[in-house]
């Protein structure tokens, strides 16, 4: 009869050998988790909390890509076989730490790659997790320049940083006639909005326009105070960086106090239903910054024939017009699709496959309904797609947006200076 | 150098903002004084009232102000129906009745917020009104936004009506007797359940109606409630727990502090200054800024 400690020794040796084999296989890039016949994309986005509107928009964008490629092409073709795309979501709860947990959850679930969250705050916490786990990550909706300044190797973004969007939209607005001589810049005190406000201020300073004031304040402030201070400075234009709720509060307070500069420029989301529903009668004539609207003149390309075709498909699927965040999120999926085709590796992806995918993404050029996507390599915008052209839009009386700048992209004339509140 | 025009406008902004807070603080203070319920659902009543305004106003020619009577009646009925449930969990042999009330109203708040999110989604909604738009410019003084002015008048009027009811009617006397000593009030033959339902119904009606005004001033958003719950707490502590006249002072202090801090110090410092004020008041005068409320213990 064998002695008890011999049994234990044999058992420990077996376990050790098995663990070593698995560990070495992992280090050597052998295998990528359990066998699957689908590409598993882990999507981190805010399905609850303050950012759930944007989180939902992002989700729609990712789903539009996955549903369309699965339905129309049977998935992604690899070596003659097609593999469907499966997008699994984890809720970031509008909270950076929950976003980091959600990213870890998706990585542990064996995702081949990550689709990123809505909002810069959450993205800034997901990028380090992707980096630590060497996990490819493309976000379709984050604009803070801080994300790209960190130089992460595994994170990419399809929407240009707001340093560029805010700056270019402001420059286009400052070129309208009569040219403004002064601006008042405000923003909400959080990374995306601050970066937006800074980009607007920089554009004004570069154009030689007087910046009467630059101020950041909390999201839940009473905007009559912001407006009173601005009204006292009497600027030609008011530039504001924030999310939709703060835009609504600002124009509401402006209308109550009769504060009527020649125009308000807001970023982000003046062409969304959320802004129009919230601002109501105050919404028309607002200027906004975007990189995509359905009427923009861009060629189609992979998966959708044109911006309008994408908008129609989104409208049919969800009953509402898509904005540039939704389009950018769909474009993120399309970029993955083209990169995975080039990688030519069946799911699940090994670590070597994922590392190779990063190299492919750095060199990729994809022509989409959203615009041409390529990623910067090196510099302050490392891995950000900064090629998509910024558009200055203005809402008409019926709430529909018209591209009014820059000149080469404009599809209509601006209503500028905008009428005073009591003349509308 | 201080710009006089800006200074007076900040005073106007602060006073009118305080008036908006008074509309919430009155009912909240009444509920605490009479029922001894610290109601976590106060902000959600504001939010639901605002959404009722957004939904019903289009049926009345896009006039939010016409919705007010309906909201008053509906919220009074709902409050009168909810109060017995609160009474049930805060009385009897249950330990920690105050905590039970907090838990119940916290659950109610979560339910209301979740219900609105489910029905309307996360987007903000406009509460339209063409009657209360724009502002009245007073030369040499500043601009009075119409909707904020009307809201402040509504809040102060609500306070005056409640004060009249409490101090000049038999029903009010009964409610004050209940607030003084529930057992003795019952021995005097006062129908406690009935008057508590009236008080809570009145509180809910005032708070829901305030929600319509707040929706017209800002907009209706599913996440707006928490802010007003926090401000309601601020106001009752500053006013003195359960002391109604102190609500006006508390509202003015809250509004003016917000306005002056935002413009002359920083928008980011507002909450810091507000909590510093609360801290000092609790240290120096736990019975509120006028020293006439219950001690905050």
């Amino acid at each position: 009869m064998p002695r008890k400690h011999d049994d234990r020794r044999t058992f420990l040796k077996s376990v050790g050998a098995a663990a070593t084999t698995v560990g070495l296989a992992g280090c050597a890039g052998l295998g990528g988790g359990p066998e699957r016949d689908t590409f598993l994309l882990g999507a981190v986005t805010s399905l609850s909390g303050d950012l759930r509107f944007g989180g939902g928009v992002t989700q729609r964008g990712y789903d539009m890509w996955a549903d369309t490629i699965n339905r129309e092409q049977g998935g992604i073709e690899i070596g003659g076989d097609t593999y469907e795309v499966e997008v699994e979501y984890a809720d970031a709860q509008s909270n950076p730490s929950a976003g980091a947990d959600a990213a870890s959850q998706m990585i542990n679930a064996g995702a081949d790659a990550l689709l990123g969250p809505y909002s810069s705050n959450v993205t800034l916490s997901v990028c380090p997790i992707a980096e630590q786990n060497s996990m490819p990550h493309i976000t379709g909706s984050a604009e803070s320049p801080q994300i790209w300044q960190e130089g992460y190797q595994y994170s990419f973004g399809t929407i240009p940083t707001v340093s560029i969007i805010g700056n270019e939209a402001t420059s286009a607005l400052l070129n309208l006639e009569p040219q403004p001589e002064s601006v008042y810049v405000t923003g909400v005190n959080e990374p995306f909005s601050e970066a937006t406000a800074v980009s607007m201020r920089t554009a004004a300073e570069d154009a030689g326009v007087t910046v009467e004031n630059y101020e950041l304040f909390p999201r839940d402030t009473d905007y009559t105070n912001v407006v009173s201070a601005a009204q006292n400075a009497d600027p030609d234009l008011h530039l504001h960086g924030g999310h939709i709720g703060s835009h609504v509060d600002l124009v509401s307070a402006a209308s109550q106090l009769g504060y009527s500069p020649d125009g308000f420029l807001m970023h982000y989301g003046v062409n969304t239903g959320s802004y129009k529903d919230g601002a109501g009668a105050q919404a028309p004539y607002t200027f906004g910054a975007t990189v995509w609207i359905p009427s923009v003149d861009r060629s189609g390309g992979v998966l959708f024939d044109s911006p309008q075709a994408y908008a129609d498909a989104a409208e049919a699927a969800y009953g509402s017009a898509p904005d540039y965040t939704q389009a950018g999120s769909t474009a993120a999926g399309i970029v993955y699709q083209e990169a995975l085709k080039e990688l030519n590796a069946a799911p699940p992806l090994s670590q070597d496959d994922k590392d190779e995918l990063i190299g492919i993404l750095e060199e990729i050029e994809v022509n989409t309904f959203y615009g041409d996507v390529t990623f910067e390599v090196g510099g302050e915008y490392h891995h950000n797609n900064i090629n998509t052209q910024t558009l200055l839009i203005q809402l008409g009386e019926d709430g529909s947006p018209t591209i009014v700048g820059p000149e080469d992209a404009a599809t209509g004339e601006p209503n500028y200076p905008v009428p005073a509140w009591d003349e509308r | 150098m201080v710009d006089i025009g800006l200074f007076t406008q900040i005073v106007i902004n602060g006073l009118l903002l305080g008036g908006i807070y008074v509309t919430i603080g009155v009912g909240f203070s009444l509920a605490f004084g009479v029922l001894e319920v610290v109601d976590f659902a106060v902000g959600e009543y504001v939010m639901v009232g605002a959404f009722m305004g957004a939904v019903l106003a289009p049926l009345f020619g896009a006039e939010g102000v016409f919705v007010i009577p309906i909201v008053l009646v509906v919220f009074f009925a709902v409050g009168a129906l909810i109060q017995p449930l609160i009474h049930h969990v805060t009385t009897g042999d249950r330990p920690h009745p105050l905590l039970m009330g907090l838990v119940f109203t916290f659950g109610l708040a979560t339910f209301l917020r979740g219900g609105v999110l489910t029905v309307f989604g996360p987007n903000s909604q406009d509460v339209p009104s063409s009657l209360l738009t724009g502002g009245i410019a007073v030369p040499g003084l500043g601009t009075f936004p119409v909707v904020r002015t009307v809201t402040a008048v509504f809040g102060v009027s609500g306070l005056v009506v409640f004060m009249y009811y409490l101090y000049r009617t038999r029903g009010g006397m009964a409610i004050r007797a209940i607030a003084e000593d529930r057992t003795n009030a019952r021995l005097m033959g006062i129908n406690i359940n009935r008057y508590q339902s009236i008080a809570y119904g009145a509180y809910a009606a005032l708070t829901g109606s305030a929600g319509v005004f707040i929706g017209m001033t800002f907009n209706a958003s599913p996440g707006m409630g928490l802010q007003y719950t926090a401000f309601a707490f601020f106001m009752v502590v500053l006013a003195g727990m359960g002391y109604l006249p102190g609500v006006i002072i508390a509202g003015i202090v809250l509004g003016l502090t917000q306005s002056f801090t935002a413009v002359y110090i920083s928008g980011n410092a507002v909450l810091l200054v507000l909590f510093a004020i609360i801290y000092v008041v609790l240290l120096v005068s736990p019975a509120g800024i006028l020293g006439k409320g219950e001690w905050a213990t």
Side-chain angles (χ1 to χ4, degrees), chain B residues 39 41-51 71 75 78-79 82 86 105 108 112 200 203-205 207-212 225:
Chain B
D39 193 343
V42 60
E44 307 313 325
Y45 286 158
V46 172
M47 183 268 293
V48 174
F51 269 91
V71 173
F75 269 81
V78 170
I82 287 175
I86 296 176
T105 55
L108 185 63
L112 291 174
Y200 195 83
Y203 147 66
T207 310
S209 306
V212 181

PDB file of all heavy atoms in Angstrom, chain B residues 39 41-51 71 75 78-79 82 86 105 108 112 200 203-205 207-212 225:
ATOM      1  N   ASP B  39     -37.652  62.680   4.498  1.00  0.00           N
ATOM      2  CA  ASP B  39     -38.124  62.054   3.265  1.00  0.00           C
ATOM      3  C   ASP B  39     -37.071  62.097   2.163  1.00  0.00           C
ATOM      4  O   ASP B  39     -36.844  63.134   1.539  1.00  0.00           O
ATOM      5  CB  ASP B  39     -39.402  62.772   2.806  1.00  0.00           C
ATOM      6  CG  ASP B  39     -40.123  61.987   1.732  1.00  0.00           C
ATOM      7  OD1 ASP B  39     -39.492  61.099   1.141  1.00  0.00           O
ATOM      8  OD2 ASP B  39     -41.313  62.256   1.512  1.00  0.00           O
ATOM      9  N   ALA B  41     -37.400  60.907  -0.631  1.00  0.00           N
ATOM     10  CA  ALA B  41     -38.060  60.935  -1.942  1.00  0.00           C
ATOM     11  C   ALA B  41     -38.365  62.358  -2.407  1.00  0.00           C
ATOM     12  O   ALA B  41     -38.899  62.543  -3.500  1.00  0.00           O
ATOM     13  CB  ALA B  41     -39.345  60.113  -1.903  1.00  0.00           C
ATOM     14  N   VAL B  42     -38.019  63.382  -1.607  1.00  0.00           N
ATOM     15  CA  VAL B  42     -38.430  64.753  -1.944  1.00  0.00           C
ATOM     16  C   VAL B  42     -37.950  65.165  -3.347  1.00  0.00           C
ATOM     17  O   VAL B  42     -38.707  65.737  -4.133  1.00  0.00           O
ATOM     18  CB  VAL B  42     -37.964  65.757  -0.849  1.00  0.00           C
ATOM     19  CG1 VAL B  42     -36.461  65.760  -0.694  1.00  0.00           C
ATOM     20  CG2 VAL B  42     -38.458  67.155  -1.144  1.00  0.00           C
ATOM     21  N   GLY B  43     -36.707  64.867  -3.653  1.00  0.00           N
ATOM     22  CA  GLY B  43     -36.172  65.241  -4.963  1.00  0.00           C
ATOM     23  C   GLY B  43     -36.855  64.502  -6.094  1.00  0.00           C
ATOM     24  O   GLY B  43     -37.029  65.036  -7.198  1.00  0.00           O
ATOM     25  N   GLU B  44     -37.266  63.274  -5.819  1.00  0.00           N
ATOM     26  CA  GLU B  44     -37.925  62.493  -6.877  1.00  0.00           C
ATOM     27  C   GLU B  44     -39.357  62.977  -7.106  1.00  0.00           C
ATOM     28  O   GLU B  44     -39.887  62.863  -8.201  1.00  0.00           O
ATOM     29  CB  GLU B  44     -37.901  61.001  -6.535  1.00  0.00           C
ATOM     30  CG  GLU B  44     -36.521  60.453  -6.207  1.00  0.00           C
ATOM     31  CD  GLU B  44     -35.435  60.849  -7.189  1.00  0.00           C
ATOM     32  OE1 GLU B  44     -35.717  60.966  -8.388  1.00  0.00           O
ATOM     33  OE2 GLU B  44     -34.294  61.063  -6.728  1.00  0.00           O
ATOM     34  N   TYR B  45     -39.996  63.518  -6.066  1.00  0.00           N
ATOM     35  CA  TYR B  45     -41.301  64.161  -6.285  1.00  0.00           C
ATOM     36  C   TYR B  45     -41.129  65.364  -7.226  1.00  0.00           C
ATOM     37  O   TYR B  45     -41.949  65.598  -8.114  1.00  0.00           O
ATOM     38  CB  TYR B  45     -41.900  64.638  -4.959  1.00  0.00           C
ATOM     39  CG  TYR B  45     -42.459  63.540  -4.074  1.00  0.00           C
ATOM     40  CD1 TYR B  45     -42.617  63.742  -2.708  1.00  0.00           C
ATOM     41  CD2 TYR B  45     -42.847  62.312  -4.597  1.00  0.00           C
ATOM     42  CE1 TYR B  45     -43.126  62.745  -1.881  1.00  0.00           C
ATOM     43  CE2 TYR B  45     -43.357  61.317  -3.778  1.00  0.00           C
ATOM     44  CZ  TYR B  45     -43.489  61.535  -2.430  1.00  0.00           C
ATOM     45  OH  TYR B  45     -43.989  60.556  -1.626  1.00  0.00           O
ATOM     46  N   VAL B  46     -40.054  66.108  -7.011  1.00  0.00           N
ATOM     47  CA  VAL B  46     -39.760  67.243  -7.900  1.00  0.00           C
ATOM     48  C   VAL B  46     -39.585  66.733  -9.331  1.00  0.00           C
ATOM     49  O   VAL B  46     -40.152  67.279 -10.286  1.00  0.00           O
ATOM     50  CB  VAL B  46     -38.475  67.976  -7.433  1.00  0.00           C
ATOM     51  CG1 VAL B  46     -38.053  69.022  -8.469  1.00  0.00           C
ATOM     52  CG2 VAL B  46     -38.686  68.625  -6.082  1.00  0.00           C
ATOM     53  N   MET B  47     -38.807  65.656  -9.458  1.00  0.00           N
ATOM     54  CA  MET B  47     -38.507  65.109 -10.789  1.00  0.00           C
ATOM     55  C   MET B  47     -39.778  64.599 -11.478  1.00  0.00           C
ATOM     56  O   MET B  47     -40.019  64.891 -12.657  1.00  0.00           O
ATOM     57  CB  MET B  47     -37.475  63.991 -10.629  1.00  0.00           C
ATOM     58  CG  MET B  47     -36.981  63.351 -11.903  1.00  0.00           C
ATOM     59  SD  MET B  47     -37.942  61.908 -12.356  1.00  0.00           S
ATOM     60  CE  MET B  47     -37.528  60.762 -11.048  1.00  0.00           C
ATOM     61  N   VAL B  48     -40.600  63.860 -10.737  1.00  0.00           N
ATOM     62  CA  VAL B  48     -41.828  63.326 -11.335  1.00  0.00           C
ATOM     63  C   VAL B  48     -42.774  64.478 -11.699  1.00  0.00           C
ATOM     64  O   VAL B  48     -43.417  64.455 -12.758  1.00  0.00           O
ATOM     65  CB  VAL B  48     -42.516  62.326 -10.376  1.00  0.00           C
ATOM     66  CG1 VAL B  48     -43.870  61.891 -10.926  1.00  0.00           C
ATOM     67  CG2 VAL B  48     -41.632  61.106 -10.163  1.00  0.00           C
ATOM     68  N   GLY B  49     -42.829  65.493 -10.848  1.00  0.00           N
ATOM     69  CA  GLY B  49     -43.647  66.665 -11.159  1.00  0.00           C
ATOM     70  C   GLY B  49     -43.189  67.328 -12.453  1.00  0.00           C
ATOM     71  O   GLY B  49     -44.013  67.706 -13.302  1.00  0.00           O
ATOM     72  N   ALA B  50     -41.880  67.438 -12.622  1.00  0.00           N
ATOM     73  CA  ALA B  50     -41.342  68.047 -13.842  1.00  0.00           C
ATOM     74  C   ALA B  50     -41.718  67.214 -15.067  1.00  0.00           C
ATOM     75  O   ALA B  50     -42.108  67.757 -16.114  1.00  0.00           O
ATOM     76  CB  ALA B  50     -39.824  68.186 -13.730  1.00  0.00           C
ATOM     77  N   PHE B  51     -41.641  65.902 -14.952  1.00  0.00           N
ATOM     78  CA  PHE B  51     -41.994  65.041 -16.083  1.00  0.00           C
ATOM     79  C   PHE B  51     -43.495  65.097 -16.374  1.00  0.00           C
ATOM     80  O   PHE B  51     -43.902  65.031 -17.538  1.00  0.00           O
ATOM     81  CB  PHE B  51     -41.537  63.597 -15.837  1.00  0.00           C
ATOM     82  CG  PHE B  51     -40.153  63.349 -16.374  1.00  0.00           C
ATOM     83  CD1 PHE B  51     -39.054  63.543 -15.563  1.00  0.00           C
ATOM     84  CD2 PHE B  51     -39.953  62.971 -17.683  1.00  0.00           C
ATOM     85  CE1 PHE B  51     -37.770  63.344 -16.049  1.00  0.00           C
ATOM     86  CE2 PHE B  51     -38.676  62.776 -18.187  1.00  0.00           C
ATOM     87  CZ  PHE B  51     -37.573  62.962 -17.372  1.00  0.00           C
ATOM     88  N   VAL B  71     -51.461  68.672 -11.276  1.00  0.00           N
ATOM     89  CA  VAL B  71     -50.356  68.112 -10.486  1.00  0.00           C
ATOM     90  C   VAL B  71     -50.653  68.247  -8.989  1.00  0.00           C
ATOM     91  O   VAL B  71     -50.397  67.320  -8.213  1.00  0.00           O
ATOM     92  CB  VAL B  71     -49.032  68.816 -10.860  1.00  0.00           C
ATOM     93  CG1 VAL B  71     -47.902  68.379  -9.929  1.00  0.00           C
ATOM     94  CG2 VAL B  71     -48.664  68.488 -12.294  1.00  0.00           C
ATOM     95  N   PHE B  75     -50.825  64.794  -6.951  1.00  0.00           N
ATOM     96  CA  PHE B  75     -49.805  64.562  -5.927  1.00  0.00           C
ATOM     97  C   PHE B  75     -50.417  64.547  -4.522  1.00  0.00           C
ATOM     98  O   PHE B  75     -49.961  63.802  -3.655  1.00  0.00           O
ATOM     99  CB  PHE B  75     -48.696  65.612  -6.024  1.00  0.00           C
ATOM    100  CG  PHE B  75     -47.565  65.187  -6.914  1.00  0.00           C
ATOM    101  CD1 PHE B  75     -47.661  65.320  -8.284  1.00  0.00           C
ATOM    102  CD2 PHE B  75     -46.407  64.651  -6.380  1.00  0.00           C
ATOM    103  CE1 PHE B  75     -46.630  64.918  -9.109  1.00  0.00           C
ATOM    104  CE2 PHE B  75     -45.367  64.238  -7.195  1.00  0.00           C
ATOM    105  CZ  PHE B  75     -45.471  64.371  -8.569  1.00  0.00           C
ATOM    106  N   VAL B  78     -51.834  61.099  -4.209  1.00  0.00           N
ATOM    107  CA  VAL B  78     -50.772  60.095  -4.073  1.00  0.00           C
ATOM    108  C   VAL B  78     -50.132  60.201  -2.684  1.00  0.00           C
ATOM    109  O   VAL B  78     -49.903  59.195  -1.997  1.00  0.00           O
ATOM    110  CB  VAL B  78     -49.713  60.288  -5.179  1.00  0.00           C
ATOM    111  CG1 VAL B  78     -48.487  59.428  -4.907  1.00  0.00           C
ATOM    112  CG2 VAL B  78     -50.308  59.935  -6.535  1.00  0.00           C
ATOM    113  N   GLY B  79     -49.879  61.436  -2.239  1.00  0.00           N
ATOM    114  CA  GLY B  79     -49.271  61.634  -0.919  1.00  0.00           C
ATOM    115  C   GLY B  79     -50.166  61.102   0.185  1.00  0.00           C
ATOM    116  O   GLY B  79     -49.703  60.447   1.131  1.00  0.00           O
ATOM    117  N   ILE B  82     -49.858  57.414   0.235  1.00  0.00           N
ATOM    118  CA  ILE B  82     -48.549  56.891   0.658  1.00  0.00           C
ATOM    119  C   ILE B  82     -48.352  57.051   2.168  1.00  0.00           C
ATOM    120  O   ILE B  82     -47.746  56.200   2.823  1.00  0.00           O
ATOM    121  CB  ILE B  82     -47.410  57.616  -0.111  1.00  0.00           C
ATOM    122  CG1 ILE B  82     -47.379  57.134  -1.552  1.00  0.00           C
ATOM    123  CG2 ILE B  82     -46.049  57.369   0.548  1.00  0.00           C
ATOM    124  CD1 ILE B  82     -46.366  57.880  -2.411  1.00  0.00           C
ATOM    125  N   ILE B  86     -46.090  54.996   5.224  1.00  0.00           N
ATOM    126  CA  ILE B  86     -44.967  55.536   6.002  1.00  0.00           C
ATOM    127  C   ILE B  86     -45.280  55.425   7.497  1.00  0.00           C
ATOM    128  O   ILE B  86     -44.430  55.014   8.302  1.00  0.00           O
ATOM    129  CB  ILE B  86     -44.695  57.008   5.614  1.00  0.00           C
ATOM    130  CG1 ILE B  86     -44.251  57.081   4.147  1.00  0.00           C
ATOM    131  CG2 ILE B  86     -43.628  57.621   6.513  1.00  0.00           C
ATOM    132  CD1 ILE B  86     -44.051  58.491   3.631  1.00  0.00           C
ATOM    133  N   THR B 105     -38.524  55.694   2.341  1.00  0.00           N
ATOM    134  CA  THR B 105     -38.545  56.780   1.351  1.00  0.00           C
ATOM    135  C   THR B 105     -37.388  56.650   0.362  1.00  0.00           C
ATOM    136  O   THR B 105     -37.503  57.054  -0.796  1.00  0.00           O
ATOM    137  CB  THR B 105     -38.512  58.163   2.033  1.00  0.00           C
ATOM    138  OG1 THR B 105     -37.385  58.238   2.896  1.00  0.00           O
ATOM    139  CG2 THR B 105     -39.787  58.401   2.829  1.00  0.00           C
ATOM    140  N   LEU B 108     -38.686  54.321  -2.113  1.00  0.00           N
ATOM    141  CA  LEU B 108     -39.670  55.022  -2.936  1.00  0.00           C
ATOM    142  C   LEU B 108     -38.967  55.877  -3.996  1.00  0.00           C
ATOM    143  O   LEU B 108     -39.356  55.901  -5.174  1.00  0.00           O
ATOM    144  CB  LEU B 108     -40.540  55.899  -2.028  1.00  0.00           C
ATOM    145  CG  LEU B 108     -41.702  56.638  -2.666  1.00  0.00           C
ATOM    146  CD1 LEU B 108     -42.715  55.659  -3.242  1.00  0.00           C
ATOM    147  CD2 LEU B 108     -42.385  57.550  -1.641  1.00  0.00           C
ATOM    148  N   LEU B 112     -39.256  55.520  -8.020  1.00  0.00           N
ATOM    149  CA  LEU B 112     -39.718  56.616  -8.889  1.00  0.00           C
ATOM    150  C   LEU B 112     -38.696  56.921  -9.985  1.00  0.00           C
ATOM    151  O   LEU B 112     -39.049  57.093 -11.157  1.00  0.00           O
ATOM    152  CB  LEU B 112     -39.982  57.874  -8.053  1.00  0.00           C
ATOM    153  CG  LEU B 112     -41.189  57.812  -7.105  1.00  0.00           C
ATOM    154  CD1 LEU B 112     -41.244  59.058  -6.219  1.00  0.00           C
ATOM    155  CD2 LEU B 112     -42.486  57.664  -7.879  1.00  0.00           C
ATOM    156  N   TYR B 200     -49.100  65.166   4.689  1.00  0.00           N
ATOM    157  CA  TYR B 200     -48.177  64.566   3.715  1.00  0.00           C
ATOM    158  C   TYR B 200     -48.682  64.808   2.291  1.00  0.00           C
ATOM    159  O   TYR B 200     -47.888  65.048   1.371  1.00  0.00           O
ATOM    160  CB  TYR B 200     -48.030  63.063   3.975  1.00  0.00           C
ATOM    161  CG  TYR B 200     -46.845  62.469   3.249  1.00  0.00           C
ATOM    162  CD1 TYR B 200     -45.563  62.560   3.787  1.00  0.00           C
ATOM    163  CD2 TYR B 200     -47.001  61.849   2.016  1.00  0.00           C
ATOM    164  CE1 TYR B 200     -44.468  62.038   3.110  1.00  0.00           C
ATOM    165  CE2 TYR B 200     -45.913  61.326   1.327  1.00  0.00           C
ATOM    166  CZ  TYR B 200     -44.659  61.421   1.888  1.00  0.00           C
ATOM    167  OH  TYR B 200     -43.568  60.910   1.207  1.00  0.00           O
ATOM    168  N   TYR B 203     -47.760  68.299   1.394  1.00  0.00           N
ATOM    169  CA  TYR B 203     -46.308  68.337   1.113  1.00  0.00           C
ATOM    170  C   TYR B 203     -46.023  67.801  -0.292  1.00  0.00           C
ATOM    171  O   TYR B 203     -45.291  68.424  -1.079  1.00  0.00           O
ATOM    172  CB  TYR B 203     -45.580  67.527   2.188  1.00  0.00           C
ATOM    173  CG  TYR B 203     -44.339  66.817   1.727  1.00  0.00           C
ATOM    174  CD1 TYR B 203     -43.205  67.525   1.314  1.00  0.00           C
ATOM    175  CD2 TYR B 203     -44.269  65.424   1.708  1.00  0.00           C
ATOM    176  CE1 TYR B 203     -42.061  66.870   0.903  1.00  0.00           C
ATOM    177  CE2 TYR B 203     -43.135  64.757   1.293  1.00  0.00           C
ATOM    178  CZ  TYR B 203     -42.031  65.483   0.883  1.00  0.00           C
ATOM    179  OH  TYR B 203     -40.908  64.837   0.465  1.00  0.00           O
ATOM    180  N   ALA B 204     -46.616  66.642  -0.619  1.00  0.00           N
ATOM    181  CA  ALA B 204     -46.375  66.048  -1.940  1.00  0.00           C
ATOM    182  C   ALA B 204     -46.910  66.962  -3.045  1.00  0.00           C
ATOM    183  O   ALA B 204     -46.262  67.143  -4.086  1.00  0.00           O
ATOM    184  CB  ALA B 204     -47.035  64.668  -2.026  1.00  0.00           C
ATOM    185  N   ALA B 205     -48.084  67.564  -2.815  1.00  0.00           N
ATOM    186  CA  ALA B 205     -48.693  68.441  -3.829  1.00  0.00           C
ATOM    187  C   ALA B 205     -47.807  69.654  -4.093  1.00  0.00           C
ATOM    188  O   ALA B 205     -47.559  70.025  -5.248  1.00  0.00           O
ATOM    189  CB  ALA B 205     -50.079  68.884  -3.362  1.00  0.00           C
ATOM    190  N   THR B 207     -44.586  69.954  -3.467  1.00  0.00           N
ATOM    191  CA  THR B 207     -43.295  69.556  -4.038  1.00  0.00           C
ATOM    192  C   THR B 207     -43.445  69.165  -5.515  1.00  0.00           C
ATOM    193  O   THR B 207     -42.617  69.532  -6.351  1.00  0.00           O
ATOM    194  CB  THR B 207     -42.708  68.381  -3.231  1.00  0.00           C
ATOM    195  OG1 THR B 207     -42.735  68.715  -1.847  1.00  0.00           O
ATOM    196  CG2 THR B 207     -41.283  68.098  -3.638  1.00  0.00           C
ATOM    197  N   GLY B 208     -44.508  68.426  -5.843  1.00  0.00           N
ATOM    198  CA  GLY B 208     -44.741  68.050  -7.239  1.00  0.00           C
ATOM    199  C   GLY B 208     -44.974  69.277  -8.114  1.00  0.00           C
ATOM    200  O   GLY B 208     -44.460  69.368  -9.232  1.00  0.00           O
ATOM    201  N   SER B 209     -45.740  70.240  -7.583  1.00  0.00           N
ATOM    202  CA  SER B 209     -45.992  71.475  -8.346  1.00  0.00           C
ATOM    203  C   SER B 209     -44.704  72.269  -8.517  1.00  0.00           C
ATOM    204  O   SER B 209     -44.450  72.852  -9.585  1.00  0.00           O
ATOM    205  CB  SER B 209     -47.022  72.340  -7.629  1.00  0.00           C
ATOM    206  OG  SER B 209     -48.170  71.594  -7.379  1.00  0.00           O
ATOM    207  N   ALA B 210     -43.889  72.278  -7.453  1.00  0.00           N
ATOM    208  CA  ALA B 210     -42.576  72.932  -7.577  1.00  0.00           C
ATOM    209  C   ALA B 210     -41.789  72.286  -8.706  1.00  0.00           C
ATOM    210  O   ALA B 210     -41.061  72.965  -9.445  1.00  0.00           O
ATOM    211  CB  ALA B 210     -41.814  72.810  -6.263  1.00  0.00           C
ATOM    212  N   GLY B 211     -41.962  70.969  -8.874  1.00  0.00           N
ATOM    213  CA  GLY B 211     -41.271  70.264  -9.949  1.00  0.00           C
ATOM    214  C   GLY B 211     -41.647  70.790 -11.326  1.00  0.00           C
ATOM    215  O   GLY B 211     -40.798  70.906 -12.208  1.00  0.00           O
ATOM    216  N   VAL B 212     -42.929  71.132 -11.500  1.00  0.00           N
ATOM    217  CA  VAL B 212     -43.354  71.685 -12.800  1.00  0.00           C
ATOM    218  C   VAL B 212     -42.654  73.027 -13.047  1.00  0.00           C
ATOM    219  O   VAL B 212     -42.139  73.293 -14.138  1.00  0.00           O
ATOM    220  CB  VAL B 212     -44.882  71.865 -12.859  1.00  0.00           C
ATOM    221  CG1 VAL B 212     -45.298  72.423 -14.219  1.00  0.00           C
ATOM    222  CG2 VAL B 212     -45.596  70.543 -12.604  1.00  0.00           C
ATOM    223  N   GLY B 225     -33.319  64.632  -9.320  1.00  0.00           N
ATOM    224  CA  GLY B 225     -33.866  64.577  -7.971  1.00  0.00           C
ATOM    225  C   GLY B 225     -32.851  64.683  -6.855  1.00  0.00           C
ATOM    226  O   GLY B 225     -33.074  65.371  -5.864  1.00  0.00           O
TER     227      GLY B 225
END
